[in-house]
Amino acid sequence: MRIVAIQEKTASIASDIRNAYIDFSKMTVSILALTTDVIRDGKPVVGYGFNSNGRYAQGALLRERFIPRIMAADPKRLICPEGDNLDPFAIWDVMMANEKPGGHGERSVAVGVIDMAVWDAVAKIEGKPLWRLLADRYRGGKADEKVFVYAAGGYYYPGKDLDALKKEMQGYLDMGYSVVKMKIGGADLQEDMRRIEVVLDLVGKGERLAVDANGRFDLPTAVAYGEAMEFLGLRWYEEPLDPLDYASHAELAQGYEGSIATGENLFSHQDARNLLRHGGLRSDRDVLQMDPVLSYGLVEYLRIQEVLKEQGWSPRRCIPHGGHQFALNLAAGLGLGGNESYPHVFAPFGGFADSTLIKESAIGLPAVPGIGFEEKSKLIDLFRSEFR
Protein backbone atom coordinates (compact mmCIF):
# COMPACT_ATOMS: atom_id res chain seq x y z
CA MET A 1 0.00 0.00 0.00
CA ARG A 2 1.34 3.40 -0.93
CA ILE A 3 0.51 6.93 -2.00
CA VAL A 4 1.27 7.12 -5.72
CA ALA A 5 0.55 10.81 -6.40
CA ILE A 6 -0.48 14.06 -4.74
CA GLN A 7 -1.76 16.85 -6.99
CA GLU A 8 -2.71 20.37 -5.99
CA LYS A 9 -4.28 23.34 -7.74
CA THR A 10 -5.71 26.74 -6.87
CA ALA A 11 -9.43 27.46 -7.24
CA SER A 12 -11.18 30.82 -7.02
CA ILE A 13 -14.05 31.60 -4.67
CA ALA A 14 -13.96 35.31 -5.43
CA SER A 15 -17.08 37.36 -4.83
CA ASP A 16 -18.08 40.93 -4.01
CA ILE A 17 -19.10 40.17 -0.42
CA ARG A 18 -17.22 41.54 2.58
CA ASN A 19 -17.22 41.18 6.32
CA ALA A 20 -16.03 43.74 8.85
CA TYR A 21 -12.37 43.02 8.11
CA ILE A 22 -11.81 41.70 4.57
CA ASP A 23 -13.48 41.45 1.20
CA PHE A 24 -13.48 38.29 -0.86
CA SER A 25 -12.73 39.80 -4.27
CA LYS A 26 -9.46 37.86 -4.60
CA MET A 27 -10.18 34.86 -2.38
CA THR A 28 -8.79 31.48 -3.41
CA VAL A 29 -8.54 27.97 -1.97
CA SER A 30 -6.19 25.07 -2.55
CA ILE A 31 -7.69 21.84 -3.81
CA LEU A 32 -5.83 18.55 -3.64
CA ALA A 33 -6.11 14.93 -4.75
CA LEU A 34 -4.17 12.15 -3.02
CA THR A 35 -4.12 8.95 -5.08
CA THR A 36 -3.30 5.57 -3.56
CA ASP A 37 -2.63 2.16 -5.11
CA VAL A 38 -5.62 0.68 -3.24
CA ILE A 39 -8.39 -0.41 -5.60
CA ARG A 40 -12.06 -0.10 -4.71
CA ASP A 41 -14.83 -0.77 -7.25
CA GLY A 42 -12.20 -1.17 -9.94
CA LYS A 43 -10.60 2.26 -9.38
CA PRO A 44 -7.75 3.62 -7.24
CA VAL A 45 -8.87 5.21 -3.99
CA VAL A 46 -8.46 9.00 -4.19
CA GLY A 47 -8.76 11.30 -1.18
CA TYR A 48 -9.72 14.93 -1.78
CA GLY A 49 -8.98 18.02 0.26
CA PHE A 50 -9.36 21.80 0.27
CA ASN A 51 -8.95 24.62 2.75
CA SER A 52 -11.75 26.52 4.45
CA ASN A 53 -12.64 29.99 3.22
CA GLY A 54 -10.97 33.10 4.58
CA ARG A 55 -7.40 31.84 4.15
CA TYR A 56 -5.89 31.93 0.69
CA ALA A 57 -4.59 29.00 -1.38
CA GLN A 58 -1.36 27.43 -0.13
CA GLY A 59 0.14 26.20 -3.42
CA ALA A 60 3.74 27.23 -2.74
CA LEU A 61 3.87 25.61 0.70
CA LEU A 62 2.23 22.45 -0.61
CA ARG A 63 4.55 22.13 -3.62
CA GLU A 64 7.79 23.14 -1.95
CA ARG A 65 7.57 21.52 1.49
CA PHE A 66 4.72 19.29 2.43
CA ILE A 67 3.96 17.21 -0.66
CA PRO A 68 7.67 16.49 -1.35
CA ARG A 69 8.20 15.27 2.22
CA ILE A 70 5.39 12.73 1.89
CA MET A 71 6.48 11.52 -1.52
CA ALA A 72 10.12 11.16 -0.40
CA ALA A 73 9.25 9.17 2.72
CA ASP A 74 9.56 5.40 2.95
CA PRO A 75 6.02 4.21 2.05
CA LYS A 76 6.10 1.83 5.01
CA ARG A 77 6.43 4.81 7.33
CA LEU A 78 3.07 6.17 6.15
CA ILE A 79 1.10 2.99 6.88
CA CYS A 80 -0.58 2.02 10.14
CA PRO A 81 1.04 -0.84 12.11
CA GLU A 82 -1.54 -3.33 10.87
CA GLY A 83 -0.46 -2.50 7.31
CA ASP A 84 -3.99 -2.23 5.94
CA ASN A 85 -4.46 1.53 5.73
CA LEU A 86 -2.72 4.90 5.73
CA ASP A 87 -1.76 6.33 9.11
CA PRO A 88 -2.83 10.01 9.32
CA PHE A 89 -0.68 10.59 12.41
CA ALA A 90 2.46 9.19 10.80
CA ILE A 91 1.82 11.23 7.65
CA TRP A 92 1.33 14.34 9.80
CA ASP A 93 4.69 13.71 11.49
CA VAL A 94 6.38 13.38 8.11
CA MET A 95 4.86 16.65 6.91
CA MET A 96 5.97 18.51 10.03
CA ALA A 97 9.53 17.17 10.07
CA ASN A 98 12.10 19.98 10.35
CA GLU A 99 9.41 22.58 11.17
CA LYS A 100 10.08 24.82 14.17
CA PRO A 101 7.42 25.08 16.88
CA GLY A 102 5.18 28.15 17.00
CA GLY A 103 4.56 30.56 14.16
CA HIS A 104 1.65 28.54 12.88
CA GLY A 105 0.37 31.01 10.31
CA GLU A 106 -0.21 29.73 6.79
CA ARG A 107 1.54 26.38 7.12
CA SER A 108 -1.27 25.11 9.34
CA VAL A 109 -3.62 25.61 6.40
CA ALA A 110 -1.39 23.73 3.94
CA VAL A 111 -1.04 20.78 6.30
CA GLY A 112 -4.81 20.82 6.88
CA VAL A 113 -5.53 20.50 3.16
CA ILE A 114 -3.44 17.32 2.91
CA ASP A 115 -4.81 16.00 6.19
CA MET A 116 -8.38 16.27 4.86
CA ALA A 117 -7.44 14.26 1.78
CA VAL A 118 -5.68 11.64 3.92
CA TRP A 119 -8.73 11.08 6.11
CA ASP A 120 -10.99 10.92 3.05
CA ALA A 121 -8.75 8.17 1.65
CA VAL A 122 -8.50 6.35 5.00
CA ALA A 123 -12.29 6.19 5.37
CA LYS A 124 -12.74 5.08 1.76
CA ILE A 125 -10.15 2.32 2.18
CA GLU A 126 -11.97 1.16 5.30
CA GLY A 127 -15.29 1.36 3.46
CA LYS A 128 -16.91 3.67 6.01
CA PRO A 129 -18.21 7.23 6.11
CA LEU A 130 -15.68 9.36 7.95
CA TRP A 131 -18.20 10.14 10.70
CA ARG A 132 -18.65 6.40 11.35
CA LEU A 133 -14.90 5.75 11.33
CA LEU A 134 -14.36 8.53 13.89
CA ALA A 135 -17.19 7.34 16.11
CA ASP A 136 -15.79 3.81 16.06
CA ARG A 137 -12.26 4.97 16.89
CA TYR A 138 -12.94 7.71 19.41
CA ARG A 139 -16.48 7.37 20.84
CA GLY A 140 -16.97 3.65 21.25
CA GLY A 141 -19.09 3.50 18.10
CA LYS A 142 -21.53 6.23 19.14
CA ALA A 143 -22.29 8.77 16.41
CA ASP A 144 -24.81 11.59 16.29
CA GLU A 145 -27.60 10.82 13.83
CA LYS A 146 -28.36 14.52 13.39
CA VAL A 147 -26.08 17.56 13.61
CA PHE A 148 -27.08 21.12 14.45
CA VAL A 149 -26.25 23.49 11.59
CA TYR A 150 -26.82 27.20 11.17
CA ALA A 151 -26.84 29.36 8.05
CA ALA A 152 -23.99 31.87 7.94
CA GLY A 153 -24.58 34.91 5.77
CA GLY A 154 -25.58 38.50 6.21
CA TYR A 155 -22.44 39.78 4.51
CA TYR A 156 -22.08 43.34 3.33
CA TYR A 157 -21.97 43.99 -0.40
CA PRO A 158 -22.62 46.96 -2.68
CA GLY A 159 -26.24 48.03 -2.81
CA LYS A 160 -27.45 45.57 -0.18
CA ASP A 161 -30.20 47.28 1.81
CA LEU A 162 -32.36 46.05 4.66
CA ASP A 163 -34.90 44.52 2.32
CA ALA A 164 -32.17 42.49 0.62
CA LEU A 165 -30.85 41.34 4.00
CA LYS A 166 -34.33 40.28 5.05
CA LYS A 167 -34.88 38.41 1.78
CA GLU A 168 -31.59 36.57 2.21
CA MET A 169 -32.44 35.46 5.72
CA GLN A 170 -35.94 34.41 4.71
CA GLY A 171 -34.34 32.21 2.09
CA TYR A 172 -32.38 30.38 4.79
CA LEU A 173 -35.53 29.83 6.82
CA ASP A 174 -37.23 28.45 3.73
CA MET A 175 -34.35 25.99 3.30
CA GLY A 176 -34.97 24.54 6.77
CA TYR A 177 -32.59 26.56 8.92
CA SER A 178 -34.04 27.95 12.14
CA VAL A 179 -30.77 29.58 13.30
CA VAL A 180 -28.91 32.14 11.17
CA LYS A 181 -25.83 34.31 11.52
CA MET A 182 -25.11 37.78 10.15
CA LYS A 183 -22.10 40.06 9.95
CA ILE A 184 -21.66 43.17 12.05
CA GLY A 185 -18.85 45.70 12.38
CA GLY A 186 -18.79 46.71 8.73
CA ALA A 187 -21.10 49.62 9.52
CA ASP A 188 -21.53 51.84 12.57
CA LEU A 189 -23.34 50.65 15.68
CA GLN A 190 -26.58 52.45 14.87
CA GLU A 191 -26.84 50.95 11.39
CA ASP A 192 -25.85 47.50 12.58
CA MET A 193 -28.54 47.59 15.24
CA ARG A 194 -31.10 48.38 12.56
CA ARG A 195 -29.85 45.40 10.56
CA ILE A 196 -30.04 43.16 13.63
CA GLU A 197 -33.58 44.30 14.42
CA VAL A 198 -34.76 43.51 10.89
CA VAL A 199 -33.44 39.96 11.13
CA LEU A 200 -34.76 39.50 14.66
CA ASP A 201 -38.25 40.48 13.51
CA LEU A 202 -37.97 37.71 10.94
CA VAL A 203 -36.53 34.86 13.03
CA GLY A 204 -38.59 35.73 16.10
CA LYS A 205 -36.18 34.98 18.94
CA GLY A 206 -32.70 36.13 19.87
CA GLU A 207 -31.55 32.54 20.27
CA ARG A 208 -32.14 32.08 16.54
CA LEU A 209 -29.65 34.79 15.56
CA ALA A 210 -25.87 34.98 15.99
CA VAL A 211 -23.74 37.97 15.02
CA ASP A 212 -20.11 38.00 13.84
CA ALA A 213 -17.69 40.95 14.01
CA ASN A 214 -14.72 39.02 12.51
CA GLY A 215 -12.29 40.36 15.09
CA ARG A 216 -12.79 43.96 14.06
CA PHE A 217 -13.40 45.77 17.35
CA ASP A 218 -11.12 47.24 19.95
CA LEU A 219 -12.26 46.66 23.53
CA PRO A 220 -14.33 49.88 23.95
CA THR A 221 -16.20 49.20 20.70
CA ALA A 222 -16.75 45.55 21.58
CA VAL A 223 -18.16 46.61 24.95
CA ALA A 224 -20.43 49.21 23.33
CA TYR A 225 -21.85 46.62 20.91
CA GLY A 226 -22.24 44.16 23.77
CA GLU A 227 -24.19 46.66 25.84
CA ALA A 228 -26.46 47.46 22.89
CA MET A 229 -27.14 43.78 22.09
CA GLU A 230 -27.17 42.10 25.48
CA PHE A 231 -30.90 42.47 26.11
CA LEU A 232 -31.66 40.74 22.79
CA GLY A 233 -30.56 37.30 24.03
CA LEU A 234 -28.62 36.49 20.86
CA ARG A 235 -27.32 33.00 20.15
CA TRP A 236 -23.77 34.31 20.35
CA TYR A 237 -21.53 37.34 19.80
CA GLU A 238 -18.73 36.08 17.54
CA GLU A 239 -15.12 37.25 17.29
CA PRO A 240 -15.72 40.64 18.87
CA LEU A 241 -11.97 41.23 19.30
CA ASP A 242 -8.62 40.32 17.79
CA PRO A 243 -8.45 36.53 18.23
CA LEU A 244 -5.10 36.66 20.04
CA ASP A 245 -6.06 39.42 22.48
CA TYR A 246 -6.98 37.09 25.32
CA ALA A 247 -6.89 39.78 28.00
CA SER A 248 -9.53 41.86 26.21
CA HIS A 249 -11.71 38.78 25.75
CA ALA A 250 -11.50 38.17 29.48
CA GLU A 251 -12.49 41.75 30.24
CA LEU A 252 -15.42 41.63 27.81
CA ALA A 253 -16.63 38.34 29.27
CA GLN A 254 -16.73 39.88 32.74
CA GLY A 255 -19.40 42.33 31.63
CA TYR A 256 -21.22 40.58 28.78
CA GLU A 257 -23.61 37.96 30.10
CA GLY A 258 -24.45 36.43 26.73
CA SER A 259 -22.53 33.81 24.81
CA ILE A 260 -19.23 34.73 23.15
CA ALA A 261 -17.91 32.66 20.24
CA THR A 262 -14.33 32.65 19.01
CA GLY A 263 -11.46 30.42 17.92
CA GLU A 264 -11.70 30.17 14.13
CA ASN A 265 -8.40 32.05 13.78
CA LEU A 266 -6.50 29.92 16.28
CA PHE A 267 -4.49 27.20 14.58
CA SER A 268 -3.05 24.81 17.16
CA HIS A 269 -3.74 23.06 20.42
CA GLN A 270 -1.32 25.48 22.09
CA ASP A 271 -3.41 28.42 20.87
CA ALA A 272 -6.55 26.73 22.16
CA ARG A 273 -4.94 26.14 25.56
CA ASN A 274 -3.91 29.78 25.83
CA LEU A 275 -7.41 30.94 24.94
CA LEU A 276 -8.96 28.78 27.66
CA ARG A 277 -6.32 29.75 30.21
CA HIS A 278 -6.35 33.49 29.62
CA GLY A 279 -9.44 34.45 27.57
CA GLY A 280 -11.97 34.42 30.39
CA LEU A 281 -14.37 32.21 28.42
CA ARG A 282 -17.10 30.35 30.27
CA SER A 283 -17.60 26.65 29.64
CA ASP A 284 -21.33 26.81 30.36
CA ARG A 285 -22.22 29.23 27.55
CA ASP A 286 -19.37 30.21 25.22
CA VAL A 287 -18.64 28.60 21.86
CA LEU A 288 -15.30 27.43 20.43
CA GLN A 289 -15.00 27.62 16.64
CA MET A 290 -11.56 26.21 15.87
CA ASP A 291 -11.51 25.10 12.24
CA PRO A 292 -10.10 21.58 11.78
CA VAL A 293 -8.78 22.34 8.30
CA LEU A 294 -7.14 25.67 9.09
CA SER A 295 -5.52 24.27 12.24
CA TYR A 296 -3.30 21.49 10.82
CA GLY A 297 -6.17 19.11 10.17
CA LEU A 298 -8.01 16.48 12.17
CA VAL A 299 -4.81 15.12 13.72
CA GLU A 300 -4.27 18.45 15.48
CA TYR A 301 -7.99 18.92 16.12
CA LEU A 302 -7.96 15.72 18.18
CA ARG A 303 -5.19 17.28 20.27
CA ILE A 304 -7.36 20.38 20.67
CA GLN A 305 -10.12 18.14 21.99
CA GLU A 306 -7.72 16.73 24.58
CA VAL A 307 -6.86 20.27 25.68
CA LEU A 308 -10.57 21.06 26.07
CA LYS A 309 -11.06 17.96 28.17
CA GLU A 310 -8.12 18.92 30.40
CA GLN A 311 -9.64 22.37 30.89
CA GLY A 312 -13.09 21.00 31.74
CA TRP A 313 -14.83 21.83 28.45
CA SER A 314 -17.29 19.58 26.67
CA PRO A 315 -16.89 18.89 22.93
CA ARG A 316 -20.49 20.07 22.66
CA ARG A 317 -19.19 23.63 23.09
CA CYS A 318 -17.36 23.25 19.75
CA ILE A 319 -19.09 24.43 16.57
CA PRO A 320 -16.34 24.58 13.93
CA HIS A 321 -15.91 27.33 11.38
CA GLY A 322 -15.77 26.20 7.75
CA GLY A 323 -19.27 25.23 6.68
CA HIS A 324 -18.28 22.10 4.75
CA GLN A 325 -18.67 18.31 4.76
CA PHE A 326 -15.38 17.59 6.52
CA ALA A 327 -16.31 19.51 9.66
CA LEU A 328 -19.82 18.04 9.49
CA ASN A 329 -18.34 14.54 9.65
CA LEU A 330 -16.26 15.56 12.65
CA ALA A 331 -19.30 16.99 14.39
CA ALA A 332 -21.25 13.75 14.02
CA GLY A 333 -18.35 11.40 14.73
CA LEU A 334 -16.76 13.26 17.64
CA GLY A 335 -19.95 14.57 19.26
CA LEU A 336 -19.41 18.26 18.69
CA GLY A 337 -22.07 20.91 19.21
CA GLY A 338 -22.80 21.49 15.54
CA ASN A 339 -21.40 22.93 12.36
CA GLU A 340 -21.48 26.12 10.33
CA SER A 341 -23.13 26.19 6.89
CA TYR A 342 -22.77 28.52 3.90
CA PRO A 343 -25.85 28.03 1.74
CA HIS A 344 -25.18 30.86 -0.73
CA VAL A 345 -21.45 31.64 -0.62
CA PHE A 346 -18.11 29.91 -1.24
CA ALA A 347 -19.59 27.43 -3.72
CA PRO A 348 -19.00 24.64 -4.45
CA PHE A 349 -16.99 24.09 -1.26
CA GLY A 350 -19.57 25.25 1.27
CA GLY A 351 -22.62 23.18 2.02
CA PHE A 352 -23.32 19.48 2.21
CA ALA A 353 -24.45 16.49 0.15
CA ASP A 354 -27.11 17.20 -2.46
CA SER A 355 -29.53 14.66 -0.98
CA THR A 356 -29.44 15.82 2.62
CA LEU A 357 -32.40 17.73 3.98
CA ILE A 358 -32.25 20.41 6.65
CA LYS A 359 -35.09 20.59 9.14
CA GLU A 360 -35.13 22.92 12.14
CA SER A 361 -31.39 23.52 11.66
CA ALA A 362 -30.56 19.81 11.88
CA ILE A 363 -29.06 17.59 9.21
CA GLY A 364 -28.15 13.94 8.74
CA LEU A 365 -25.16 12.55 6.87
CA PRO A 366 -24.86 10.25 3.85
CA ALA A 367 -23.66 6.69 4.36
CA VAL A 368 -21.10 6.70 1.52
CA PRO A 369 -17.45 5.92 2.31
CA GLY A 370 -15.15 8.85 2.97
CA ILE A 371 -16.10 12.47 3.58
CA GLY A 372 -18.96 12.24 1.09
CA PHE A 373 -17.73 14.53 -1.69
CA GLU A 374 -19.13 12.09 -4.24
CA GLU A 375 -22.61 13.04 -3.00
CA LYS A 376 -22.02 16.75 -3.70
CA SER A 377 -22.21 16.88 -7.48
CA LYS A 378 -20.71 20.28 -8.26
CA LEU A 379 -17.77 19.75 -5.93
CA ILE A 380 -16.90 16.24 -7.11
CA ASP A 381 -17.24 17.41 -10.71
CA LEU A 382 -14.68 20.13 -9.97
CA PHE A 383 -12.26 17.67 -8.39
CA ARG A 384 -12.58 15.20 -11.24
CA SER A 385 -12.19 17.85 -13.93
CA GLU A 386 -9.07 19.31 -12.31
CA PHE A 387 -7.41 16.01 -11.39
CA ARG A 388 -7.73 13.65 -14.34
Side-chain angles (χ1 to χ4, degrees):
M1 176 183 296
R2 59 189 293 267
I3 296 169
V4 299
I6 304 176
Q7 302 168 274
E8 64 80 28
K9 291 189 177 181
T10 295
S12 173
I13 52 169
S15 70
D16 59 358
I17 63 174
R18 66 178 177 89
N19 61 34
Y21 219 108
I22 65 170
D23 68 62
F24 291 82
S25 60
K26 307 277 186 194
M27 188 58 60
T28 57
V29 299
S30 284
I31 59 175
L32 185 138
L34 183 149
T35 304
T36 75
D37 64 354
V38 178
I39 304 299
R40 293 287 185 270
D41 299 324
K43 298 178 181 179
V45 170
V46 180
Y48 296 107
F50 60 87
N51 63 273
S52 302
N53 65 82
R55 297 281 161 173
Y56 295 91
Q58 305 298 313
L61 290 174
L62 289 165
R63 290 189 300 271
E64 295 173 11
R65 297 210 318 252
F66 299 112
I67 293 174
R69 287 173 187 164
I70 294 172
M71 300 309 294
D74 181 347
K76 294 179 181 178
R77 187 179 173 190
L78 309 179
I79 306 303
C80 64
E82 295 79 11
D84 59 355
N85 210 328
L86 300 175
D87 184 340
F89 298 87
I91 294 171
W92 196 95
D93 287 343
V94 166
M95 284 193 283
M96 290 297 290
N98 220 31
E99 295 284 332
K100 293 178 71 175
H104 304 291
E106 298 294 286
R107 77 178 178 192
S108 66
V109 183
V111 171
V113 172
I114 298 175
D115 176 272
M116 182 193 290
V118 169
W119 284 100
D120 189 32
V122 165
K124 287 173 177 173
I125 290 169
E126 198 158 318
K128 295 179 180 180
L130 179 58
W131 56 267
R132 169 50 57 198
L133 182 146
L134 295 176
D136 290 347
R137 291 191 181 186
Y138 301 109
R139 291 182 74 202
K142 182 181 179 182
D144 293 348
E145 295 183 0
K146 297 286 185 180
V147 175
F148 163 71
V149 290
Y150 68 92
Y155 287 85
Y156 303 93
Y157 63 81
K160 184 176 183 179
D161 59 13
L162 294 178
D163 287 339
L165 175 63
K166 184 176 181 179
K167 182 178 180 181
E168 176 193 359
M169 294 298 172
Q170 182 62 58
Y172 299 147
L173 300 181
D174 293 342
M175 294 172 68
Y177 294 96
S178 59
V179 178
V180 299
K181 185 175 79 177
M182 61 179 286
K183 300 299 183 181
I184 60 171
D188 61 32
L189 175 56
Q190 186 175 18
E191 181 179 346
D192 273 340
M193 288 304 297
R194 286 196 295 267
R195 296 172 65 250
I196 290 170
E197 289 164 5
V198 164
V199 179
L200 270 180
D201 286 343
L202 185 66
V203 299
K205 299 178 181 178
E207 65 189 28
R208 295 179 179 266
L209 174 62
V211 296
D212 182 3
N214 289 103
R216 184 68 192 181
F217 300 148
D218 58 17
L219 181 58
T221 307
V223 169
Y225 267 77
E227 290 174 347
M229 297 186 302
E230 190 164 13
F231 75 98
L232 300 174
L234 299 178
R235 186 84 176 204
W236 65 70
Y237 179 12
E238 181 172 332
E239 281 210 309
L241 297 151
D242 184 286
L244 295 178
D245 188 350
Y246 304 133
S248 290
H249 276 88
E251 191 165 343
L252 177 66
Q254 288 180 356
Y256 183 72
E257 291 296 322
S259 172
I260 295 171
T262 191
E264 73 176 68
N265 289 301
L266 303 181
F267 300 143
S268 69
H269 75 274
Q270 294 93 341
D271 286 341
R273 181 182 290 119
N274 280 334
L275 174 66
L276 298 185
R277 282 176 174 171
H278 307 297
L281 299 184
R282 303 144 303 182
S283 61
D284 65 333
R285 74 195 77 171
D286 293 329
V287 177
L288 303 175
Q289 299 175 306
M290 283 75 77
D291 186 315
V293 187
L294 301 184
S295 52
Y296 292 106
L298 173 54
V299 168
E300 182 73 359
Y301 196 76
L302 291 168
R303 298 183 184 121
I304 290 173
Q305 291 300 307
E306 287 300 314
V307 167
L308 266 61
K309 184 177 180 180
E310 292 168 2
Q311 299 289 326
W313 285 68
S314 166
R316 295 295 185 189
R317 302 312 306 170
C318 294
I319 302 179
H321 168 267
H324 45 62
Q325 290 164 288
F326 184 60
L328 184 67
N329 275 268
L330 271 60
L334 300 178
L336 308 182
N339 191 47
E340 189 169 28
S341 175
Y342 293 110
H344 291 326
V345 291
F346 311 126
F349 302 97
F352 315 120
D354 298 341
S355 61
T356 52
L357 297 177
I358 299 160
K359 185 176 181 180
E360 286 297 309
S361 273
I363 189 172
L365 287 90
V368 298
I371 294 172
F373 296 135
E374 288 74 12
E375 297 295 298
K376 187 169 171 56
S377 57
K378 291 183 179 179
L379 181 54
I380 195 62
D381 287 349
L382 172 66
F383 283 139
R384 288 171 175 167
S385 66
E386 293 292 335
F387 303 117
R388 295 184 183 277

